[in-house]
Structure formats: structure tokens, C-alpha cells
Amino acid sequence: MRLDDDLRRRLSLARDLLEREHADTSLGQVARQAGVSPHHFIRLFEAAFGATPHRYRTGVRLARARRLLARGAPVTEVCLELGFSSLGSFSALFSRYVGEPPSRYQRRIRASVQVPADLARHFFPGCLSLLGALPRGAFRNFQEA
């Protein structure tokens, strides 16, 4: 299916809307923004981006869930923040897409990025390492640096 530049632009704007408005905007509203009927929008969106709008929106929500879980947010909080109707439906969907329940995913990811306490004292911000590479006299005083 050949898409002209104007239609591709409108579909890209609709995709951006799907990314921003995870629960508030219906498919009909997004299709109206793109200027096509809902059924035609689904076919065009899938042709342009390789996934239906629903599957795309689900993928965006789950990617956000993965980021929040990796930061240590509680599973229930992530579920509610992303607009899922229940913890059970969120966990089932997450398990189906990611391959493990959200709590196990969170434990695994958090364990893989934790720095052991004895090593933590040896780490310092990377910007400080750059200060050693600056030419002598680059700054007049510490505040200016």
C-alpha cells in the first residue's frame, strides 16, 4: 500500500498521540485526528508501522512499565499509573509480552544493575573525570568550573 506524504504525516501525528495519551484517547478520536475512518485507520496504521494501533499502544505502555519497574516503582503503582483496570490483567499482559511476571522482572533487573556496597565508594560522577583533562587555568576558580 502506497502512502502519500500528507497521509504519512497524519499517521505519524496519530502515532505520537497514541504514545502520549495512553488511556484517555479512543481509537475513533485518533482516527478523526488522522482524517480517516477508524477501520481504514487501523489498516493504514498497520501498513505504515507494522502493528495495529492497539498493539502499538500496548507496546508503548509496557515499555513504560518496564522503565518504571527498573527504577523500583511498586508493581501496583505502575499498574495504576499506566491505566490498567486491574493488577491481574496488567500482570497477565506483562507476562505474555515480556515472558515473566512484573515482580520477577523487577527483581531480576534491579539485581543486575545494583552496585555492590564495597565498589560503590569507588564510583564518582563522570563529569569529575573530565575536569582532569581540561587545560591548566581553564577556570579562574572552583565556582566557575
Side-chain angles (χ1 to χ4, degrees):
M1 179 180 301
R2 178 120 165 80
L3 302 174
D4 64 9
D5 290 339
D6 181 54
L7 183 57
R8 187 175 300 279
R9 182 188 56 76
R10 288 183 289 148
L11 288 173
S12 294
L13 291 173
R15 180 189 60 193
D16 294 344
L17 186 62
L18 286 173
E19 287 177 3
R20 282 193 310 266
E21 306 293 335
H22 59 80
D24 300 342
T25 309
S26 72
L27 183 65
Q29 292 170 322
V30 176
R32 273 192 296 281
Q33 289 283 334
V36 294
S37 72
H39 295 293
H40 193 55
F41 174 69
I42 292 170
R43 287 192 302 274
L44 290 172
F45 192 92
E46 187 172 20
F49 303 112
T52 64
H54 177 72
R55 185 172 290 258
Y56 183 81
R57 180 183 279 177
T58 300
V60 168
R61 291 169 75 190
L62 289 174
R64 185 154 184 242
R66 291 170 81 168
R67 286 191 304 273
L68 291 171
L69 289 168
R71 290 184 187 146
V75 175
T76 305
E77 186 179 303
V78 172
C79 170
L80 295 174
E81 184 173 331
L82 296 179
F84 286 95
S85 58
S86 74
L87 185 58
S89 63
F90 167 68
S91 294
L93 184 68
F94 191 92
S95 297
R96 193 166 51 245
Y97 273 73
V98 178
E100 61 187 336
S103 55
R104 187 181 310 153
Y105 172 82
Q106 186 176 46
R107 280 192 305 272
R108 182 177 59 80
I109 292 299
R110 302 278 299 164
S112 68
V113 297
Q114 282 184 338
V115 178
D118 60 329
L119 290 179
R121 66 174 181 246
H122 298 293
F123 289 104
F124 59 94
C127 60
L128 292 178
S129 67
L130 296 175
L131 288 176
L134 293 173
R136 195 165 204 41
F139 300 106
R140 288 177 281 191
N141 56 41
F142 184 75
Q143 285 80 20
E144 189 178 328

